[in-house]
Amino acid sequence: MKINLKSKEEIARIGEAGGILAECHKEIAKMIAPGITTLEIDEFVESFLADRKATPEQKGYRGFPFATCASINDVVCHGFPSQQQLQPGDIVTIDLVVNKSGWLADSAWSYRVGEVSAEADKLLKMTEKALYAGIAQALPGKRIGDIGYAVQRVAQEAGIGIVRPLIGHGIGKTMHEAPDVPNFGRPHSGVKLQSGMVITIEPIFTLGETGAIIWENDGWTIRSADRSLGAHYEHTLAITDERPVILTA
């Protein structure tokens, strides 16, 4: 397993892609409302990136046909954008990877559509909390298991499920690089973190305690097995000597 450490210049290039991605998510947040379709959001993203001379990396990746993954309610990941209109009380995750001049950044965010239930609100808050708990562990000398354990503890204390097969990863000129970054782990175990590593941390939780999932026949769409709500938050970050630097903030 070769880990590609990035120079400051390369991290800046990833940060350029990440800045575009963060700006895009800010615009998506303004669009989220009852009645809009995820296909409309997808078309907006494609146009937004083109205006900035960037491209959606997942379009065409292993045949994936869209610029974004758009996952509603019990779809926890990799949902296809569609003509389905968002309804009050839905939660929707938009996940995208931006390619700017050959360097990639990846971020997913779960959005509330109008007022959501107390249970949905708790799921969203805990999943986002877990993201930042994991990021706080992304320091040189720590290990991958420290990140996973921090994420795992938030889910366990909240009594919600961890989708264990879906994990974070290294990123740079390709979407998935070493190392894998699971959302569970043992402290002081796994790959040692070094300055220059660029990774994604992306907790994916379900309201159901098992976190069990099923793949749909399209080969992409992933639902919670118990049809409970799913949430997904993700940032791309660089590990530096001083602190973790979020490149998609």
Side-chain angles (χ1 to χ4, degrees):
M1 177 182 63
K2 184 178 185 304
I3 293 172
N4 297 317
L5 298 181
K6 313 298 191 293
S7 67
K8 287 184 177 176
E9 292 75 19
E10 289 169 333
I11 289 169
R13 299 288 292 279
I14 297 169
E16 190 180 356
I20 293 168
L21 203 165
E23 198 185 342
C24 189
H25 264 302
K26 281 174 77 172
E27 294 304 313
I28 291 167
K30 296 174 191 173
M31 298 173 71
I32 301 290
I36 195 168
T37 70
T38 49
L39 197 56
E40 288 174 271
I41 294 168
D42 190 78
E43 289 165 354
F44 164 79
V45 167
E46 191 138 20
S47 169
F48 182 95
L49 298 185
D51 287 347
R52 287 151 184 81
K53 296 183 169 54
T55 55
E57 183 70 9
Q58 66 253 61
K59 188 168 187 178
Y61 176 77
R62 295 184 180 174
F64 189 82
F66 296 99
T68 63
C69 300
S71 306
I72 302 171
N73 294 334
D74 65 320
V75 176
V76 297
C77 206
H78 301 160
F80 283 6
S82 74
Q83 296 284 10
Q84 180 182 343
Q85 292 185 334
L86 297 180
Q87 301 298 318
D90 284 347
I91 61 177
V92 59
T93 301
I94 306 296
D95 184 6
L96 62 145
V97 183
V98 170
N99 182 327
K100 175 67 175 174
S101 306
W103 291 95
L104 310 181
D106 187 0
S107 177
W109 217 252
S110 292
Y111 295 98
R112 298 161 177 81
V113 183
E115 292 279 321
V116 300
S117 70
E119 276 191 319
D121 191 61
K122 175 187 174 183
L123 174 68
L124 293 165
K125 285 176 177 171
M126 290 301 105
T127 313
E128 187 176 356
K129 178 181 177 181
L131 169 64
Y132 290 104
I135 290 171
Q137 296 297 313
L139 298 163
K142 292 272 193 177
R143 291 182 179 271
I144 288 291
D146 294 312
I147 294 174
Y149 180 67
V151 170
Q152 175 182 340
R153 278 190 62 191
V154 175
Q156 288 176 335
E157 289 171 7
I160 54 184
I162 302 165
V163 178
R164 287 178 172 244
L166 303 177
I167 58 177
H169 48 87
I171 190 168
K173 287 207 145 191
T174 55
M175 201 186 307
H176 299 116
E177 297 183 355
D180 291 344
V181 186
N183 293 309
F184 56 92
R186 288 184 295 108
H188 322 304
S189 69
V191 173
K192 185 178 277 191
L193 304 177
Q194 303 173 62
S195 185
M197 290 170 70
V198 178
I199 60 173
T200 74
I201 297 177
E202 48 180 311
I204 305 174
F205 293 167
T206 65
L207 265 181
E209 286 188 41
T210 68
I213 51 171
I214 51 173
W215 261 263
E216 295 289 317
N217 291 334
D218 61 24
W220 286 100
T221 305
I222 301 172
R223 291 185 188 274
S224 60
D226 60 7
R227 304 303 293 266
S228 67
L229 295 174
H232 179 191
Y233 288 87
E234 173 188 18
H235 273 312
T236 297
L237 58 134
I239 295 167
T240 73
D241 290 332
E242 296 79 35
R243 60 189 173 83
V245 176
I246 300 173
L247 302 174
T248 47

